[in-house]
Amino acid sequence: MQRWRGLEEIPGDWGRSVVTIGSFDGVHRGHQLIISRVVERARELGVRSVVVTFDPHPSEVVRPGSHPPLLAPQPRRAELIEELGVDAVLVLPFTLEFSKESPEFFVQQVLVDALHARLVVEGPNFRFGHRAAGNVELLAELGRADDFEVEVVDLQVRGAAGGGEPFSSTLTRRLVAAGDLVGAAEVLGRPHRVEGVVVRGAQRGRELGYPTANVDTVPHSAVPGDGVYAGWLVTDGPLLPDGGQGGRMPAAISVGTNPTFDGTARTVEAYAIDRVGLDLYGLHVAVEFLTYLRGMEKFDSIDALLERMADDVKRARELTEAP
């Protein structure tokens, strides 16, 4: 899959394409429907498929300070889109000047001149251009003048998550914040994850016999609510710098401020179960959440904390080993 940042990186000989546009944060099951339809239609028409997205999130530019918690950073989003068979991802730098462009300007500059769109696939609530003035009706009208068609896809996927509420990034963020990682996984079609670099913390876990990877998460990450979770610690490859095996390791995960030690900083720490001597400092890792185990507690003694931690690890091991 080709990855472009800005219109200037699009090859000059790029032919006709089927396109969809959106933030696609999380690439949840509703997003997967529309992107899969783009790939399907591109193959039927004998052209290539393109997903257009934005960085940073438009809300942060239009309303500074309103950046929503991100379900997936931009590189991860591109990986998930690539898994769906897309030919190219175009990331448009979203600036204040860009936000003021009219819907007509956006269509001409991006869809017509740059991507030579033959078909644009969107959901029924798609909005674009300055003050979100453009909608799918206007897009279809402009398409008739500029030789491309518009197909509207129903994105109303529902399940048990959120009490039957339609799947969306907003719903997923709410479930993650509430610690409902089972519900979030239903919407996403996979476990929710956060990413970041492993940094040195207070090293209390090492002293207690449960050394943890303290993950400095990517800014604006959608971090689950405080508590202890079962899940996985994921490294980029099967081999670590010290020669040990990495990959996807079962883990017990703590999110919170470590109240037993009167902590104030909120951290994400993952203990790779039964792994000894891991050296992950400085590595970019991911933490995937399977399910909530318990809330964050303040214990009266270290012995009481160790007893609960042993139980947490036992339950996390059983859950991650289950089919």
Side-chain angles (χ1 to χ4, degrees), residues 63 120 124 126 132 137 149 153 168 171 209:
R63 297 178 299 278
V120 180
F126 174 65
E137 289 77 16
E149 297 179 8
V153 175
S168 67
L171 171 61

Side-chain angles (χ1 to χ4, degrees), residues 18-57:
V18 177
V19 184
T20 188
I21 307 151
S23 292
F24 299 113
D25 184 25
V27 193
H28 59 68
R29 287 170 59 191
H31 294 150
Q32 292 166 33
L33 272 181
I34 196 168
I35 294 171
S36 296
R37 181 59 176 167
V38 167
V39 173
E40 177 185 7
R41 293 291 283 128
R43 289 172 180 168
E44 288 175 358
L45 295 170
V47 298
R48 286 177 283 190
S49 53
V50 183
V51 171
V52 179
T53 187
F54 308 97
D55 186 48
H57 195 283

